[in-house]
Amino acid sequence: MNSEPNSDLIPIAREQLFSCYQMLETLVEVCPDDVWNGVYNDIPFWYQVYHTVYFVDYWFRTDHEGTGFPSMPLDPRIPPEFESEIPADISISREQMRTYLRLIKEKLTRIFTTIKESDLSHPAFAQEPVVTLLDAIFSQTRHIMYNIGYCNGILRQQNLEEADWYAYNEPIT
């Protein structure tokens, strides 16, 4: 039997990603509806969040073949990339986003329950052979934080509550 126990690296990577993910969930909760539906620098606030969540969903597949994506089908006219035009007649509600976030969190929990340290150096999934799982974890952690900072800046400009810093492995109060 050649089983490899999880080392300390898996919990560290998981907690770093999940700490950022917690801040993303908080952002959706604290954002008022008028801001959620508002447009800032030509980009709807909801779309900034969707873009972030979509790519977490994209990079974390449930198996090497790349299935398990998307976790929740949304309007197919919504492009994931900022370079695309966003039709004015579509949006994602905060309730839909909460559901999407919950489904992805469940998927992330399943993934981190089953991975081994050796999996970190393997491709994230077959369609992206040069991106390792560790690359995906690091890049999505940075991607989440970049976009939270952007969204927090919008909230801060309006003197609104923002997604406060959630420290590594901090107990939720």
Side-chain angles (χ1 to χ4, degrees):
M1 180 154 87
N2 191 10
S3 66
E4 175 189 1
N6 281 348
S7 75
D8 290 342
L9 296 180
I10 301 297
I12 291 168
R14 180 190 65 234
E15 291 308 316
Q16 289 295 334
L17 180 66
F18 275 63
S19 291
C20 296
Y21 202 81
Q22 172 66 44
M23 291 178 67
L24 188 56
E25 291 173 317
T26 300
L27 177 71
V28 173
E29 291 304 316
V30 301
C31 180
D33 288 336
D34 60 323
V35 174
W36 182 261
N37 296 310
V39 176
Y40 305 89
N41 300 311
D42 299 323
I43 297 174
F45 190 96
W46 65 264
Y47 181 74
Q48 187 83 31
V49 176
Y50 167 74
H51 164 84
T52 308
V53 174
Y54 174 92
F55 282 105
V56 173
D57 195 12
Y58 176 87
W59 282 106
F60 293 99
R61 309 293 179 101
T62 54
D63 62 30
H64 186 70
E65 284 70 45
T67 62
F69 172 78
S71 293
M72 178 177 158
L74 293 162
D75 191 320
R77 297 176 298 157
I78 304 172
E81 295 286 358
F82 286 129
E83 295 81 22
S84 304
E85 193 72 25
I86 304 154
D89 65 331
I90 60 174
S91 67
I92 297 172
S93 70
R94 288 190 323 142
E95 191 54 43
Q96 287 173 302
M97 187 57 67
R98 286 181 191 111
T99 301
Y100 193 28
L101 283 164
R102 180 183 50 78
L103 292 170
I104 294 170
K105 190 172 192 175
E106 289 170 1
K107 178 171 71 167
L108 290 171
T109 299
R110 284 192 307 274
I111 289 169
F112 275 97
T113 300
T114 60
I115 62 173
K116 301 178 296 292
E117 187 173 330
S118 61
D119 295 330
L120 295 174
S121 62
H122 295 152
F125 55 95
Q127 293 89 335
E128 299 285 351
V130 298
V131 179
T132 68
L133 181 56
L134 189 58
D135 289 325
I137 293 167
F138 284 167
S139 66
Q140 287 311 295
T141 299
R142 291 182 309 108
H143 188 242
I144 291 168
M145 291 311 300
Y146 173 86
N147 285 285
I148 288 172
Y150 178 83
C151 291
N152 272 346
I154 292 169
L155 296 172
R156 199 174 298 121
Q157 284 179 330
Q158 299 179 48
N159 296 315
L160 295 169
E161 183 180 358
E162 58 192 72
D164 287 331
W165 174 254
Y166 181 80
Y168 172 77
N169 217 7
E170 182 177 87
I172 299 174
T173 56

